[in-house]
Amino acid sequence: MVLADQLPVLIVITPLIGAFLAPLIYRRHEKASGYLVLLSLLLSVVMAVFLLIKVRRDGPYFYQMGNWPPPWGIEYVADPLRVFMLLVVVAISLWIFLFAIEDLQHELRRTVIGWYYALYLLLVASMAAITMTNDLFNLFVFMEICAITSCAIITVKEDRECLEAGFKYLILSAMGTGCFLLGVALLYMVTGQLNFGFLQQELTAAVINYPLNVFTAAALFIVAFGTKAALFPLHVWLPDAHASAPSPSSAMLSGLVIKIYAFSLFVIFYRVFPRSLLDSLPLSEIVLWLAAFGVMFGSVYAMLQTDLKKMLAYSSIGQIAFIFMGIGLDQRLALVGGLYHIAVHAITKAMLFMAAGAIIYATGVRRISDMNGIGRVMPLVLVAFTVGSASMIGIPGTGGLISKWYLALGALEIGRSLFVLVILLSSLLNAIYYMPIVINAFMSQDDFACQVKEVPKVLQSALVIGMIFVVITGIFSRPLTLLLEEAVTVFF
Amino acid sequence: MAEKTVVAIQIIIVLAPIIMTPVIMYSCRISDQLRNGLSVATAAVTFILSLTLYPFIKDGGIVQLSLFEILPNLEISIRLDLLSFSLAALSSFVWLLATLYSLHYMAREHAGGRYYPVLIFTLGSCQGIFFAGDLFSLFVFFELMSIIAYILVIHEQTEEALKAGYKYLVMTIIGGLALFFGIIIIFELGGTVSLGVGPIIQERSTLGLIAFICFLIGFGMKAGMFPLHVWLPDAHPVAPSPASALLSGIMLKTGAYGLVRVVFFVYSYQLLQTSNWNDILAALAVITILLGSAVALTQTDIKRRLAYSSISQLGYVLLGLSILNNNAITGAIFHIFSHAFMKSALFLAAGAIIWKTGKRNIADFKGLGRQMPVTMGCFALAALAMIGIPPLNGFLSKWTLALGALDAEAPGFVLVLLISSLLNALYYLPIIIPAFFELPDSLQADHHGDEHDLPPVKIEEATPLMLSAIVILALCTIFFGLTPNNIAFSLSRLTAVYLLGGGGF
Amino acid sequence: MTELLNILLLVFLIICAIGVAYIRDLLSAVILFSAFGLIMAIIWQQLSAPDVAMVEAALGTGVAALLMIAAISKTKRVE
Amino acid sequence: MEILGGLIHNYYYFVAIILFVIGTHTMLTHANMIKKVIAMNIMDTSVFLLFVAIGYVQGGRPPIIGSDPEALYINPLPGALILTGIVVAVSVTAYALSLIVKIHRAYGTVDYDEICELRGDE
């Protein structure tokens, strides 16, 4: 079918069209605009599922923008890995939007909600494009769009902290893209290519002739994506930005946006750089150690926080480091673990932010110490929070355990048992800061002091869907891990 | 019995309580009666179903079946052999009694709507541990049980309970992580964690040792092994008494059970012997026994004393396990039975006393034997069994353990057993003797020195239902102790032969 | 000769960039930045990329500088 | 000496890198937000310079198809890319400046250090 061949670009275009229409419709019909956004996201999900089926059946294929063959045209790739990531992106965006549609009424001024819808869809479109593009410059363009929109969904809530955090994010993110572009220029200098596939061929020779260029580019890429994905020690922007944003934005940023950059680094490591480069340079080693420090740092700092959303934000720094650890370990199983953790953490952290959002929605409480006894007045929200915490800790039956299992197995396979200890230690630390919240929420003898509004049904159903996701990733993980295992085998 | 039926029964045993949990939770809204009825019915069905497995076991049947794959080579699988059967039957039996006992005990407590579902859920996950066919499923159910049991521990929701519960939870997580590490290493070394393929680790290696220590930490923590016992004396006493009985009587055993599985099914026990890794276990067991008994002496709270006593008793099981010969293993497994009966009886009796009189301090127990003769009688019986007075079951297990120690030419262990029994006597007798032969402080002032003219004391027993649970458990201590020709002992002996014979893979 | 001119322009570029960092008056900094952009446009013209040079002169220098001046007029002029 | 020779030969690259470092440094160290934005532009433009310099062919003509098909043209691809890049950079600038105006409205200052102090007092 002709339409089926156009799927990669349709998935990017559908939310883009929605992004243009949503604010226009919003002026007249607020409800209809929300449904339009839902519809365009739903369409994207359906298309992503079709794409997955197609790729599973016919194998990976390349889509050439406007029928220009590379190296002139821009190329999109649909292979199992990219489609997996794509599916994660669109499905979770759809799910978060369910939450957003209700929560935004409360957090934002009425007039800006239409614009928020547009930004949201633009963000989804740019993330979808980033996952599929096979061209470095196209990647750069969509990274900038992604940066602006994700910054905009922070600052759309115009209070002081959001503005300041948004600006900090924008500047550091600009530094990240600057470094990225410089790296691209260095690679282009020695190869004359921007397409991933051609680059990989050319680089095999270029590494020998121009080693410095390639090494510098690699280092710049680590800095660029490390900044954007909040890899320790380049994470400084994250806690403020994710904590102050409106809750749906926090869920989106912590759940998906930082993962996209980690995924891009992974793609560049394995799709752009030839294997010989990875073997000869300690690139993975650097990423690995940064990740190990990040895991510990994020967990320790999360323990010190008094604000719930800030705690969740610091916890993201620790968790994103798991994904980098998968990349850094440079081993098949660990890579599967890291990639699986993208999905798991996206679901879990988004759900935790939603739960935090629901708490703020209903009570206005943000401080952890004020939440004693809250579980008795809003049980469903706190049960969702508990399930999310369990997945963060890695309790059996939740997705967190599966990704940690793969990571640990990969680390053991290459004899790096030190990193298994890091993983376990971080689980312990996670337990230490997540559990008291849950315990005090349900078991504390103090009665919850604040006035409580009822949480709307839509928010509740979003949380229930999240819990189902978490359990599914924990118990029926096999199809997904099988897909990932097959997908990463080509890299080794 | 066909294998399919057996598997179906096993799955029902595990799933029925778990599925009933939300039903029970919901039934609270309709009526408390319905909730209680459902809880008892679930526990009873579980017990009866586990008994129906006996004919299959008697014919030497073994089931090992994987249900579905979670990760490559990592399935959720079920297994039924002598060991699983023994523990499953034992635990569902005690659970049934404790549930019956709870009906009246908990009537006075708050939040029954939370207590019963959790109680039944832990029953399901506990059975899941015993029926797990591989380390991973075992780990899953183990964690599930441990974490859910937290709600039982903090049921009272006092400051003290919350603190104890937090300690419990942190230790559980540490233990869980250690287990996770151990399982991953085994998976890495052997490529499988199934219990049905024979000893996975046959050769000595550093990683193997690390994994062994991890298992010791993970399961030993649950079993209250020194130095990981710290949570136990806080957590067990603060729970409601029937829950303490289960925590001490059954849930501790899951740790011991896990260690048995590790020693015989994950490692070949010959390897443990040749590389002397079992000495680690032996040393820790000896310390656990002595330390538990010694500290129990200093406790004045009845439930705390019982909790410390549990630590020392579990030490016997671990000691038996570390000796690794026929008699010792028989003793260890039989002691799992004995201790379940004795300690549950003790906790339930203590619960009845607290429930009726509110007394927790041992010094207040004077004259209690005349006030609550049946309860105190059962308490005394179980305590005597604990000390190891023949013909009670505690004697039989200690005797067999001692025989095992002598077979292994380690008379030192016999000495440890003797010292510990002496200590047991030292801390149990001061409860029993004043209870029967002294007057309460309030009466002593009037009647001092007048032993023959005791004033009539009003008999104030707990309800018959509660009493019956206590009495049944106490009678078990006699029934399974009179002669070695009882079902529990022969099961233990068969299991020991089965384990040492290579597990019949 | 063009070589020398190019080198001179490049040196100017660096001077402008450093100047932007040191001048405390923001308006002057923006003007210096415009100069930077225009020099850049000339250099690109020298490098046979007239299209890029035009866009840089119009957008990168013109529009950006206008926006900056607008922003400064709404905030503070001195650092 | 060899490196120095290389630098002199490739002075466009060299200058681009210097400008990039100056831009990044100014952007990250200066507290004034508008200064940060200007520096961000310098940083971006320096990378564009690098791109244009890469595309340049000694003696090449602009990529405008003329009458002479044999003529030597420069590589047109970097130029095309940079057009996109400039547009993106300007839009980021515009967005950042609008943020600055809002921040000024909220805090009464555009100096990062002062904002930190203000927030520290809260």
Side-chain angles (χ1 to χ4, degrees), chain A residues 453-469:
Chain A
K453 266 200 303 189
E454 209 205 338
V455 183
K457 283 276 181 298
V458 188
L459 297 197
Q460 293 189 353
S461 56
L463 288 172
V464 170
I465 294 172
M467 283 191 270
I468 294 170
F469 271 165

Side-chain angles (χ1 to χ4, degrees), chain D residues 52-111:
Chain D
V52 174
I54 293 165
Y56 180 63
V57 181
Q58 194 73 40
R61 285 169 44 173
I64 303 164
I65 305 292
S67 50
D68 182 8
E70 296 292 303
L72 185 65
Y73 293 112
I74 67 152
N75 185 352
L77 191 68
L81 298 177
I82 286 157
L83 292 183
T84 326
I86 292 174
V87 174
V88 170
V90 171
S91 44
V92 174
T93 309
Y95 176 62
L97 289 170
S98 76
L99 264 188
I100 289 174
V101 173
K102 280 180 179 166
I103 288 175
H104 186 260
R105 224 177 278 153
Y107 288 93
T109 174
V110 288
D111 191 282

Side-chain angles (χ1 to χ4, degrees), chain B residues 461-476:
Chain B
E461 284 288 2
T463 63
L465 187 66
M466 287 165 74
L467 276 185
S468 61
I470 303 171
V471 169
I472 291 173
L473 283 170
L475 287 179
C476 284

Side-chain angles (χ1 to χ4, degrees), chain C residues 3 6-7 10 13-14 17-18 20-21 23 26 29-30 33 36 40 43-44 47-52 55-56 59-60 63 67-68 71-72 74-76 79, chain D residues 11-12 15 19 22 26 30 32 34-35 38 41-42 45 48-49 52-53 56 60-63 74 79 82-83 86-87 90 93-94 97 101 104 108-110:
Chain C
E3 191 89 339
N6 287 349
I7 291 174
L10 288 174
L13 269 187
I14 295 175
I18 294 174
V20 165
I23 288 182
L26 287 176
V30 172
F33 168 69
F36 173 89
M40 191 63 98
I43 290 174
W44 288 347
L47 290 175
S48 311
D51 48 344
V52 189
V55 173
E56 168 67 16
L59 276 180
V63 176
L67 288 169
M68 283 169 193
I72 290 170
K74 292 201 171 182
T75 57
K76 266 190 227 154
E79 192 177 339
Chain D
Y11 54 85
Y12 283 109
V15 171
L19 287 176
I22 294 172
T26 316
H30 272 252
N32 188 293
I34 293 181
K35 201 59 113 21
I38 300 175
N41 272 288
I42 292 181
T45 319
F48 300 151
L49 172 63
V52 174
Y56 180 63
R61 285 169 44 173
I74 67 152
I82 286 157
L83 292 183
I86 292 174
V87 174
V90 171
T93 309
L97 289 170
V101 173
H104 186 260
T109 174
V110 288

